[in-house]
């Protein structure tokens, strides 16, 4: 479902606010008690809703559905609606992950209630593409730090992003786990130009003034992550936070709102 794929690209960008970079944003926030990904077979199914901007810098936000599916295997492999196809390994407090995913699409007009924005008319569509998502995280007691990157494979002109994140476990009980996280995203020149720049041709088509960009930090954010365990199978996960554009991303003529709230919640069945 294309609108969901676009949504998940945004959710992956904020997942470092509360979890290791590019981890599932609907996974448990309990970093101390969460088992290593390579230790067991498991299945998770669920449904959620997310409130996110129409695009990075958009004035308007919208509610989109979030289907949840993840199958993990004892050898560390996983198939996930939010993380893609990949492998995750853990050794003591170090966790590594590599996955093949899809994302990066942006429509220059409102196609439906889930996709596109009329504020981008004349800018042209940005096609989605296969992406390699790599991450590493390390836990120091209640604090975790993470570093991740998303490398575009199918559309090299889209460039790459790098995310640095840190999370703090605030509370952990058998029924509730609460975490606080911050993150910062850095984009290379191609990425920043693709999503925040305006070429002369795009300027003529859209009416926005031309805008050239360079590599740099594009956003910072923070969020509170709450996981509520109902019983052995059912849980509810909620993330509430914000994301603020910085650098050329904040100065882009496409940016109507630099700081936007991001909310998501999901009901998950695990077995």
């Amino acid at each position: 479902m294309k609108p969901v794929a676009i949504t998940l690209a945004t959710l992956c960008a904020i997942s470092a606010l509360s979890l290791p970079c590019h981890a599932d944003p609907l996974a448990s926030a309990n970093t101390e008690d969460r088992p290593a990904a390579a230790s067991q077979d498991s299945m998770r199914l669920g449904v959620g809703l997310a409130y996110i901007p129409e695009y990075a810098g958009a004035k308007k936000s919208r509610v989109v559905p979030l289907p949840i599916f993840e199958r993990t295997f004892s050898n560390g492999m996983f198939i996930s609606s939010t993380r893609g196809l990949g492998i995750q390994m853990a050794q003591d407090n170090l966790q590594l992950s590599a996955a093949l995913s899809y994302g990066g699409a942006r429509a220059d007009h409102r196609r439906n209630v889930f996709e596109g924005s009329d504020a981008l008319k004349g800018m042209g569509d940005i096609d989605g593409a296969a992406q390699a998502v790599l991450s590493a995280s390390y836990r120091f007691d209640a604090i975790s730090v993470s570093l991740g990157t998303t490398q575009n494979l199918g559309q090299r002109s889209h460039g790459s992003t790098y995310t640095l994140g840190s999370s703090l476990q605030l509370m952990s009980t058998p029924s509730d786990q609460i975490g606080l996280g911050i993150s910062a995203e850095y984009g290379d020149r191609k990425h920043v130009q693709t999503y925040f720049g305006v070429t002369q041709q795009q300027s003529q088509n859209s009416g926005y003034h031309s805008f050239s960009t360079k590599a740099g930090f594009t956003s910072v954010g923070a969020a509170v992550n709450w996981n509520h365990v109902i019983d052995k199978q059912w849980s509810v996960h909620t993330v509430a936070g914000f994301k603020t554009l910085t650098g050329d991303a904040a100065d882009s003529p496409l940016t109507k709102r630099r700081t936007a709230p991001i909310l998501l919640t999901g009901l998950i069945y695990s077995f």
Side-chain angles (χ1 to χ4, degrees):
M1 184 176 178
K2 192 173 182 180
V4 172
I6 299 170
T7 301
L8 295 180
T10 302
L11 296 181
C12 286
I14 69 166
S15 64
L17 299 178
S18 53
L19 298 167
C21 186
H22 297 295
D24 185 344
L26 293 178
S28 170
N30 182 358
T31 57
E32 181 177 358
D33 298 331
R34 186 170 62 248
S39 64
Q40 63 180 12
D41 286 342
S42 65
M43 176 78 79
R44 296 193 306 139
L45 299 173
V47 63
L49 293 173
Y51 180 72
I52 60 173
E54 290 184 341
Y55 65 91
K59 181 179 181 179
K60 297 180 180 180
S61 294
R62 58 185 164 213
V63 177
V64 296
L66 179 63
I68 303 160
F69 164 80
E70 179 162 298
R71 176 74 166 94
T72 60
F73 302 89
S74 59
N75 62 2
M77 296 291 295
F78 60 82
I79 303 173
S80 170
S81 59
T82 57
R83 294 195 291 164
L85 172 64
I87 186 168
Q88 190 164 301
M89 299 168 288
Q91 180 63 43
D92 297 326
N93 291 336
L94 176 65
Q95 185 167 283
L96 304 174
S97 177
L100 180 65
S101 188
Y102 174 89
R106 190 182 74 183
D108 73 347
H109 62 282
R110 185 180 175 88
R111 292 180 174 173
N112 50 56
V113 295
F114 305 126
E115 183 181 14
S117 173
D118 287 340
L120 296 171
K121 284 183 177 179
M123 288 297 298
D125 292 343
I126 299 176
D127 294 331
Q131 300 174 329
V133 182
L134 311 174
S135 68
S137 65
Y138 193 86
R139 189 180 74 233
F140 302 90
D141 295 325
I143 299 177
S144 295
V145 294
S146 60
L147 178 65
T149 180
T150 298
Q151 301 284 327
N152 276 284
L153 302 177
Q155 297 284 347
R156 299 298 295 175
S157 61
H158 291 183
S160 305
T161 60
Y162 304 85
T163 305
L164 177 65
S166 179
S167 62
L168 172 65
Q169 181 178 293
L170 299 177
M171 185 185 78
S172 178
T173 69
S175 61
D176 295 281
Q177 302 87 42
I178 299 177
L180 172 66
I182 59 175
S183 74
E185 183 178 86
Y186 180 93
D188 64 13
R189 184 187 61 81
K190 290 182 178 179
H191 175 83
V192 183
Q193 181 62 39
T194 297
Y195 293 94
F196 300 100
V198 181
T199 66
Q200 290 185 354
Q201 185 62 56
Q202 288 173 326
S203 177
Q204 294 176 7
N205 295 339
S206 66
Y208 290 113
H209 66 80
S210 59
F211 185 72
S212 297
T213 66
K214 57 184 180 298
F217 283 97
T218 57
S219 68
V220 295
V224 174
N225 183 299
W226 174 31
N227 189 69
H228 175 66
V229 178
I230 300 173
D231 56 32
K232 291 183 178 181
Q233 281 75 44
W234 292 96
S235 63
V236 177
H237 195 79
T238 303
V239 176
F242 69 90
K243 191 173 184 178
T244 298
L245 298 182
T246 60
D248 284 348
D251 296 334
S252 169
L254 303 179
T255 297
K256 310 298 184 181
R257 180 176 58 173
R258 295 187 177 187
T259 300
I262 299 176
L263 305 171
L264 69 90
T265 188
L267 176 66
I268 304 169
Y269 181 76
S270 304
F271 58 97

